[in-house]
């Protein structure tokens, strides 16, 4: 089995990586080959060692083909099932257990610039749009080509179900189980007064719907998972459920609601 690793940049994580390689090298029933970071070969499995942020980096580096597994070098992660003190159990599971493959939906975005370019992007957690300066983001929101509202405020988040527990949660969006093929549009500090009005609730859109955001600001800040930057001359952004999903190999039963409870209620 060809394995690629993506590590958080700290000593503890590097130590966990070394220990894991030693354990898998000692396996007598399976052969594991770790690929170099710059290898052109396609891995069968990608191991993210770090946090959920490390997993986001891994999925953008390796895409939709491999299976992903996370070892969390902090607290329990939403994308990571294993702790560094469970490396023996993990190595045993790799040899003995048939994993369940959990496929998580993504957000797909088409960014249209004022000079007619069309760029395709995707996110596992979310797309975030904010004004590039501290003044308001101004956006006309269309759902399925019908004008829905005129948004004025700090920003908008379009998240996937597995991203619903991240930035989306901080703005009171709903938590969506990743078996739902949907995207969620949530507001960041909308202005609601006698001049401006938005729905002021998060909206969950099914797979066959799309949301189009017509951008009025000359410059915006765009975030797609970990990637972020200032974009000039964006005309519109259209988001829908992505055609591809990210595949996670689950070797033990830890449900999405277990993760939610452990992360937010009882650790
Ligand atoms: P960061 O700002 O260093 O950390 C963001 C935090 O979000 C980390 O604790 C990370 O967990 C956690 N996280 C990431 N994905 C998650 C998920 N699907 N469910 C629950 N928690 C999740 O940024 P980063 O590590 O590069 O991660 C990028 C993400 O940060 C973005 O996709 C966005 O969702 C999130 N973010 C959140 C806020 C907010 O809540 N106000 C603001 C900006 C960005 P780990 O510690 O395990 O890495």
């Amino acid at each position: 089995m060809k394995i690629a690793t993506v590590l958080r940049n700290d000593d503890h994580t590097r130590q966990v990586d070394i220990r894991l390689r030693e354990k898998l090298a000692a396996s007598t029933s399976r052969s594991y080959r770790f690929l170099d970071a710059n290898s052109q070969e396609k891995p069968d499995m990608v191991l993210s060692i770090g946090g959920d942020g490390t997993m986001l980096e891994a999925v953008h580096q390796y895409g939709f083909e491999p299976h992903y597994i996370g070892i969390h070098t902090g607290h329990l992660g939403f994308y990571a099932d294993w702790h560094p003190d469970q490396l023996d159990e993990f190595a045993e599971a790799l040899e003995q257990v048939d994993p369940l493959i959990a496929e998580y939906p993504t957000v797909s975005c088409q960014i249209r610039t004022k000079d007619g370019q069309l760029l395709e992007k995707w996110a596992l957690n979310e797309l975030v749009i904010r004004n590039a300066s501290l003044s308001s983001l101004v956006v006309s929101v269309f759902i399925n080509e019908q004008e829905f509202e005129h948004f004025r405020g700090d920003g908008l988040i379009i998240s996937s179900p597995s991203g619903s527990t991240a930035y989306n949660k901080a703005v009171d969006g709903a938590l969506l189980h990743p078996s739902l093929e949907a995207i969620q549009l949530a507001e960041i500090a909308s202005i609601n007064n006698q001049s401006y009005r938005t729905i002021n609730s998060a909206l969950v859109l099914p797979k066959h719907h799309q949301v189009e955001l017509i951008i009025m600001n000359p410059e915006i800040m765009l975030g797609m998972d970990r990637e972020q930057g200032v974009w000039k001359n964006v005309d519109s952004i259209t988001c829908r459920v992505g055609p591809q999903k990210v595949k996670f190999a689950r070797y033990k039963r830890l449900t999405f609601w277990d993760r939610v409870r452990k992360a937010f209620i009882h650790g």
Side-chain angles (χ1 to χ4, degrees):
M1 183 187 291
K2 288 180 285 179
I3 303 179
T5 53
V6 178
L7 309 185
R8 183 158 65 189
N9 187 18
D10 63 57
D11 287 341
H12 174 48
T13 298
R14 281 186 284 275
Q15 288 304 317
V16 172
D17 179 49
I18 292 167
R19 274 168 42 217
L20 180 69
R21 283 169 190 252
E22 286 168 0
K23 287 198 190 299
L24 296 188
S27 167
T28 47
S29 59
R30 286 201 125 181
S31 109
Y32 302 100
R33 185 155 64 85
F34 283 86
L35 302 179
D36 289 341
N38 50 5
S39 167
Q40 297 301 307
E41 283 186 76
K42 288 187 176 173
D44 304 303
M45 178 191 291
V46 177
L47 273 175
S48 150
I49 309 178
D52 284 328
T54 319
M55 183 62 87
L56 293 174
E57 202 177 311
V59 300
H60 283 278
Q61 192 174 338
Y62 290 100
F64 298 106
E65 276 182 41
H67 291 166
Y68 292 87
I69 302 182
I71 297 176
H72 208 293
T73 50
H75 50 84
L76 172 92
F78 273 85
Y79 295 118
D81 290 354
W82 298 90
H83 285 289
D85 58 6
Q86 297 173 316
L87 294 187
D88 285 324
E89 200 188 320
F90 174 60
E92 209 176 290
L94 275 187
E95 298 193 1
Q96 293 174 5
V97 176
D98 270 341
L100 181 106
I101 306 301
E103 299 197 3
Y104 282 8
T106 53
V107 183
S108 132
C109 308
Q110 257 187 354
I111 303 171
R112 187 183 293 277
T113 61
K114 291 199 194 317
D115 59 6
Q117 284 186 69
L118 209 55
L119 293 127
E120 302 279 347
K121 295 277 183 181
W122 64 275
L124 177 60
N125 265 0
E126 77 284 281
L127 172 91
V128 181
I129 308 165
R130 305 180 70 128
N131 192 10
S133 74
L134 283 179
S135 55
S136 301
L137 175 78
V138 184
V139 168
S140 278
V141 178
F142 284 69
I143 296 179
N144 301 335
E145 296 176 3
Q146 282 214 316
E147 181 150 24
F148 182 77
E149 66 182 12
H150 203 65
F151 174 89
R152 188 176 276 260
D154 280 9
L156 289 164
I157 301 171
I158 298 102
S159 60
S160 71
S162 63
S164 68
T165 49
Y167 201 170
N168 170 72
K169 185 176 186 302
V171 298
D172 283 340
L175 304 191
L176 262 63
H177 193 278
S179 62
L180 297 169
E181 294 185 289
I183 55 170
Q184 180 169 185
L185 173 68
E187 303 177 353
I188 310 173
S190 57
I191 300 176
N192 275 292
N193 57 26
Q194 295 198 353
S195 310
Y196 306 111
R197 188 139 305 277
T198 65
I199 189 76
N200 207 13
S201 297
L203 305 179
V204 178
L205 275 67
K207 195 176 181 181
H208 56 289
H209 288 198
Q210 65 174 43
V211 59
E212 186 182 10
L213 309 169
I214 312 281
I215 312 291
M216 304 301 170
N217 307 71
E219 279 189 356
I220 52 169
M221 178 80 86
L222 274 187
M224 279 149 293
D225 294 338
R226 290 198 124 177
E227 180 189 334
Q228 51 180 280
V230 172
W231 289 59
K232 290 183 194 229
N233 294 321
V234 174
D235 180 52
S236 66
I237 302 173
T238 304
C239 299
R240 50 176 75 83
V241 175
Q244 286 178 291
K245 295 181 179 177
V246 178
K247 302 185 195 91
F248 292 91
R250 302 288 190 215
Y251 286 84
K252 59 178 171 185
R253 190 171 158 73
L254 190 64
T255 70
F256 177 73
W257 301 119
D258 287 338
R259 289 166 214 272
V260 170
R261 187 173 44 78
K262 286 190 172 166
F264 299 116
I265 301 175
H266 298 296

